[in-house]
Amino acid sequence: MAQFTRGFGSRRRDADPDLPPGQYLTTDFPVLSAGPTPRIPLTEWSFSIRTETGETARWSWDEFTALPSEEVSTDIHCVTRWSKLGTSWRGVALDTLFEDVETSFDFVMAHSYGGYTTNVPLEDLLDGKAWVAYEFDGEPLDPEHGGPARLLVPHLYFWKSAKWVRGLVMQQHDDPGFWEQNGYHLRGDPWLEERYW
Ligand SMILES: Nc1nc2c(c(=O)[nH]1)N[C@H]1C(S)=C(S)[C@@H](COP(=O)(O)O)O[C@H]1N2
Ligand SMILES: [Mo]
Protein backbone atom coordinates (compact mmCIF):
# COMPACT_ATOMS: atom_id res chain seq x y z
CA MET A 1 0.00 0.00 0.00
CA ALA A 2 1.27 3.46 -0.88
CA GLN A 3 2.71 5.78 1.74
CA PHE A 4 0.89 9.05 2.26
CA THR A 5 2.72 12.26 1.57
CA ARG A 6 2.59 15.00 4.15
CA GLY A 7 1.42 18.12 2.31
CA PHE A 8 1.48 21.66 3.61
CA GLY A 9 -1.11 21.99 6.33
CA SER A 10 -1.66 18.27 6.34
CA ARG A 11 -0.85 15.84 9.04
CA ARG A 12 -1.66 12.31 9.94
CA ARG A 13 -3.25 11.38 13.20
CA ASP A 14 -4.06 7.75 12.79
CA ALA A 15 -5.54 7.61 16.24
CA ASP A 16 -8.10 10.36 15.59
CA PRO A 17 -11.49 8.74 16.17
CA ASP A 18 -13.09 11.20 13.73
CA LEU A 19 -10.88 10.03 10.88
CA PRO A 20 -12.36 7.19 8.78
CA PRO A 21 -10.03 4.35 7.75
CA GLY A 22 -7.48 5.17 5.07
CA GLN A 23 -8.00 8.96 5.35
CA TYR A 24 -5.55 11.72 6.35
CA LEU A 25 -6.33 15.14 7.80
CA THR A 26 -5.94 18.35 5.86
CA THR A 27 -6.52 21.90 7.02
CA ASP A 28 -6.68 23.47 3.56
CA PHE A 29 -9.68 23.01 1.27
CA PRO A 30 -8.71 21.18 -1.94
CA VAL A 31 -10.76 21.84 -5.08
CA LEU A 32 -11.80 18.73 -7.03
CA SER A 33 -13.85 19.36 -10.16
CA ALA A 34 -14.28 17.09 -13.17
CA GLY A 35 -14.74 20.09 -15.48
CA PRO A 36 -14.73 23.88 -15.60
CA THR A 37 -16.50 25.91 -12.93
CA PRO A 38 -19.92 26.95 -14.24
CA ARG A 39 -20.96 30.55 -13.46
CA ILE A 40 -24.66 30.79 -12.73
CA PRO A 41 -26.14 34.28 -12.28
CA LEU A 42 -28.46 34.26 -9.28
CA THR A 43 -31.27 35.66 -11.43
CA GLU A 44 -31.11 32.50 -13.56
CA TRP A 45 -30.44 30.03 -10.77
CA SER A 46 -33.12 27.65 -9.55
CA PHE A 47 -33.32 24.46 -7.57
CA SER A 48 -35.95 21.83 -8.30
CA ILE A 49 -37.17 18.42 -7.18
CA ARG A 50 -39.00 16.31 -9.78
CA THR A 51 -40.98 13.21 -8.89
CA GLU A 52 -42.23 10.19 -10.84
CA THR A 53 -45.49 12.01 -11.72
CA GLY A 54 -43.51 14.76 -13.41
CA GLU A 55 -44.56 17.17 -10.72
CA THR A 56 -41.73 19.60 -10.03
CA ALA A 57 -41.12 21.78 -6.99
CA ARG A 58 -38.93 24.70 -7.92
CA TRP A 59 -37.32 27.54 -5.97
CA SER A 60 -35.74 30.68 -7.35
CA TRP A 61 -32.69 32.02 -5.53
CA ASP A 62 -34.83 34.47 -3.55
CA GLU A 63 -37.37 31.80 -2.65
CA PHE A 64 -34.63 29.33 -1.75
CA THR A 65 -32.69 31.68 0.53
CA ALA A 66 -35.95 32.73 2.23
CA LEU A 67 -36.45 29.13 3.42
CA PRO A 68 -35.42 28.27 6.98
CA SER A 69 -31.69 27.51 6.95
CA GLU A 70 -29.38 25.77 9.38
CA GLU A 71 -25.80 26.19 10.47
CA VAL A 72 -23.97 22.94 9.96
CA SER A 73 -20.63 22.00 11.48
CA THR A 74 -19.38 18.75 10.03
CA ASP A 75 -16.44 16.65 8.89
CA ILE A 76 -15.98 15.94 5.18
CA HIS A 77 -14.17 13.00 3.59
CA CYS A 78 -12.96 12.78 -0.01
CA VAL A 79 -12.42 9.40 -1.60
CA THR A 80 -8.95 10.64 -2.68
CA ARG A 81 -8.22 10.27 1.07
CA TRP A 82 -8.27 13.78 2.48
CA SER A 83 -10.59 14.59 5.35
CA LYS A 84 -11.33 18.00 6.79
CA LEU A 85 -12.82 18.17 10.26
CA GLY A 86 -15.19 20.75 11.69
CA THR A 87 -16.15 22.60 8.50
CA SER A 88 -18.86 25.30 8.81
CA TRP A 89 -21.74 25.68 6.39
CA ARG A 90 -25.15 27.27 6.07
CA GLY A 91 -27.81 25.57 4.03
CA VAL A 92 -31.38 24.40 3.70
CA ALA A 93 -32.03 20.92 5.05
CA LEU A 94 -33.32 18.42 2.50
CA ASP A 95 -36.06 17.69 5.05
CA THR A 96 -37.32 21.23 4.47
CA LEU A 97 -37.15 20.90 0.69
CA PHE A 98 -38.96 17.53 0.71
CA GLU A 99 -41.71 18.71 3.09
CA ASP A 100 -44.34 19.04 0.35
CA VAL A 101 -42.89 16.49 -2.07
CA GLU A 102 -44.84 13.26 -2.50
CA THR A 103 -42.95 10.32 -3.93
CA SER A 104 -42.90 6.56 -3.62
CA PHE A 105 -39.43 6.29 -5.22
CA ASP A 106 -36.50 5.57 -2.89
CA PHE A 107 -33.59 6.98 -4.89
CA VAL A 108 -32.42 10.39 -6.05
CA MET A 109 -30.25 11.55 -8.91
CA ALA A 110 -28.67 14.91 -8.17
CA HIS A 111 -28.04 17.05 -11.25
CA SER A 112 -25.62 19.96 -11.42
CA TYR A 113 -25.11 22.93 -13.68
CA GLY A 114 -22.31 21.72 -15.95
CA GLY A 115 -23.74 18.21 -16.23
CA TYR A 116 -22.36 16.38 -13.18
CA THR A 117 -24.66 13.79 -11.63
CA THR A 118 -24.52 11.62 -8.54
CA ASN A 119 -26.99 9.08 -7.13
CA VAL A 120 -28.05 8.99 -3.48
CA PRO A 121 -30.68 6.92 -1.65
CA LEU A 122 -33.44 9.23 -0.38
CA GLU A 123 -32.92 8.00 3.18
CA ASP A 124 -29.34 9.34 3.06
CA LEU A 125 -30.74 12.82 2.40
CA LEU A 126 -33.45 13.00 5.09
CA ASP A 127 -33.53 13.14 8.91
CA GLY A 128 -30.96 15.91 9.22
CA LYS A 129 -28.31 14.20 7.12
CA ALA A 130 -28.06 16.52 4.10
CA TRP A 131 -28.39 20.14 3.01
CA VAL A 132 -28.24 22.36 -0.01
CA ALA A 133 -25.49 24.64 1.27
CA TYR A 134 -24.85 28.19 0.10
CA GLU A 135 -22.40 29.54 2.70
CA PHE A 136 -19.03 28.28 3.87
CA ASP A 137 -17.27 29.81 6.90
CA GLY A 138 -19.88 32.58 7.03
CA GLU A 139 -19.29 33.69 3.42
CA PRO A 140 -21.20 32.99 0.20
CA LEU A 141 -19.99 29.66 -1.15
CA ASP A 142 -17.00 30.12 -3.46
CA PRO A 143 -17.80 29.13 -7.11
CA GLU A 144 -14.88 26.69 -7.08
CA HIS A 145 -16.47 24.92 -4.13
CA GLY A 146 -19.89 24.76 -5.75
CA GLY A 147 -21.41 28.22 -5.35
CA PRO A 148 -24.10 29.47 -5.60
CA ALA A 149 -25.14 26.24 -3.87
CA ARG A 150 -24.08 22.64 -3.51
CA LEU A 151 -25.41 19.47 -2.04
CA LEU A 152 -23.82 18.63 1.31
CA VAL A 153 -24.07 14.97 2.31
CA PRO A 154 -21.19 14.80 4.75
CA HIS A 155 -21.72 11.25 6.04
CA LEU A 156 -20.91 9.93 2.54
CA TYR A 157 -17.72 10.49 0.53
CA PHE A 158 -17.60 14.05 -0.74
CA TRP A 159 -18.21 13.16 -4.41
CA LYS A 160 -21.88 12.76 -3.38
CA SER A 161 -21.94 16.46 -2.42
CA ALA A 162 -22.73 17.74 -5.92
CA LYS A 163 -21.36 21.23 -6.52
CA TRP A 164 -23.51 23.75 -8.48
CA VAL A 165 -26.53 21.57 -7.79
CA ARG A 166 -29.62 22.54 -9.78
CA GLY A 167 -32.04 19.79 -8.96
CA LEU A 168 -32.97 16.33 -7.79
CA VAL A 169 -34.88 13.76 -9.81
CA MET A 170 -36.59 10.89 -8.02
CA GLN A 171 -35.65 7.45 -9.33
CA GLN A 172 -37.14 4.01 -8.89
CA HIS A 173 -33.70 2.37 -9.02
CA ASP A 174 -30.29 3.39 -7.72
CA ASP A 175 -28.90 4.18 -11.19
CA PRO A 176 -25.25 5.28 -11.12
CA GLY A 177 -24.25 8.93 -11.57
CA PHE A 178 -21.06 10.33 -13.11
CA TRP A 179 -18.35 8.90 -10.85
CA GLU A 180 -20.41 5.83 -10.02
CA GLN A 181 -20.49 4.91 -13.73
CA ASN A 182 -16.71 5.25 -13.63
CA GLY A 183 -16.22 2.74 -10.86
CA TYR A 184 -16.96 4.62 -7.67
CA HIS A 185 -19.15 2.84 -5.16
CA LEU A 186 -22.92 3.29 -5.48
CA ARG A 187 -23.27 4.50 -1.87
CA GLY A 188 -19.86 5.64 -0.59
CA ASP A 189 -19.83 5.31 3.19
CA PRO A 190 -16.33 6.42 4.33
CA TRP A 191 -16.54 4.43 7.57
CA LEU A 192 -17.07 1.24 5.53
CA GLU A 193 -14.47 2.37 2.96
CA GLU A 194 -17.04 2.04 0.17
CA ARG A 195 -14.67 3.60 -2.38
CA TYR A 196 -15.02 1.51 -5.54
CA TRP A 197 -17.09 -1.35 -6.86
N1 LIG B 1 -20.66 19.35 -10.00
C1 LIG B 1 -19.64 18.69 -9.45
N2 LIG B 1 -19.73 18.37 -8.15
C2 LIG B 1 -18.73 17.70 -7.55
C3 LIG B 1 -17.57 17.32 -8.26
C4 LIG B 1 -17.49 17.69 -9.61
O1 LIG B 1 -16.53 17.38 -10.32
N3 LIG B 1 -18.54 18.38 -10.17
N4 LIG B 1 -16.57 16.62 -7.63
C5 LIG B 1 -16.94 15.88 -6.42
C6 LIG B 1 -15.78 15.42 -5.70
S1 LIG B 1 -14.99 14.06 -6.29
C7 LIG B 1 -15.40 15.99 -4.52
S2 LIG B 1 -14.17 15.33 -3.58
C8 LIG B 1 -16.00 17.25 -4.07
C9 LIG B 1 -14.93 18.30 -3.98
O2 LIG B 1 -15.47 19.47 -3.46
P1 LIG B 1 -14.50 20.72 -3.28
O3 LIG B 1 -13.92 21.03 -4.64
O4 LIG B 1 -15.35 21.81 -2.73
O5 LIG B 1 -13.43 20.28 -2.33
O6 LIG B 1 -17.03 17.73 -4.93
C10 LIG B 1 -17.81 16.73 -5.52
N5 LIG B 1 -18.85 17.39 -6.23
MO1 LIG C 1 -13.59 13.36 -4.47
Side-chain angles (χ1 to χ4, degrees), residues 129-145:
K129 291 201 287 286
W131 298 265
V132 173
Y134 55 90
E135 282 181 19
F136 179 80
D137 263 353
E139 303 284 342
L141 185 58
D142 196 319
E144 289 190 324
H145 287 297

Side-chain angles (χ1 to χ4, degrees), residues 18-37:
D18 294 327
L19 200 55
Q23 297 292 111
Y24 67 86
L25 290 174
T26 184
T27 52
D28 56 12
F29 196 172
V31 172
L32 280 105
S33 303
T37 296

Side-chain angles (χ1 to χ4, degrees), residues 5-150:
T5 307
R6 252 175 229 254
F8 288 111
S10 303
R11 65 211 147 121
R12 282 190 81 189
R13 272 195 286 157
D14 289 322
D16 197 314
D18 294 327
L19 200 55
Q23 297 292 111
Y24 67 86
L25 290 174
T26 184
T27 52
D28 56 12
F29 196 172
V31 172
L32 280 105
S33 303
T37 296
R39 306 278 162 165
I40 307 102
L42 297 182
T43 49
E44 286 165 32
W45 184 93
S46 73
F47 178 80
S48 64
I49 301 177
R50 190 171 86 223
T51 69
E52 59 271 31
T53 64
E55 217 168 305
T56 304
R58 187 182 301 277
W59 295 265
S60 68
W61 181 256
D62 288 344
E63 290 165 342
F64 180 76
T65 51
L67 293 170
S69 64
E70 297 176 4
E71 265 181 47
V72 184
S73 177
T74 187
D75 305 339
I76 53 180
H77 311 289
C78 176
V79 72
T80 62
R81 299 186 183 272
W82 58 266
S83 288
K84 191 171 167 61
L85 304 186
T87 58
S88 303
W89 307 81
R90 174 171 293 280
V92 178
L94 271 287
D95 299 292
T96 302
L97 296 165
F98 271 92
E99 243 164 44
D100 297 319
V101 172
E102 274 184 44
T103 180
S104 63
F105 283 3
D106 291 329
F107 302 98
V108 171
M109 186 70 80
H111 292 261
S112 293
Y113 291 100
Y116 185 85
T117 55
T118 189
N119 57 295
V120 192
L122 181 57
E123 66 172 13
D124 277 309
L125 298 181
L126 300 180
D127 296 324
K129 291 201 287 286
W131 298 265
V132 173
Y134 55 90
E135 282 181 19
F136 179 80
D137 263 353
E139 303 284 342
L141 185 58
D142 196 319
E144 289 190 324
H145 287 297
R150 77 181 296 164

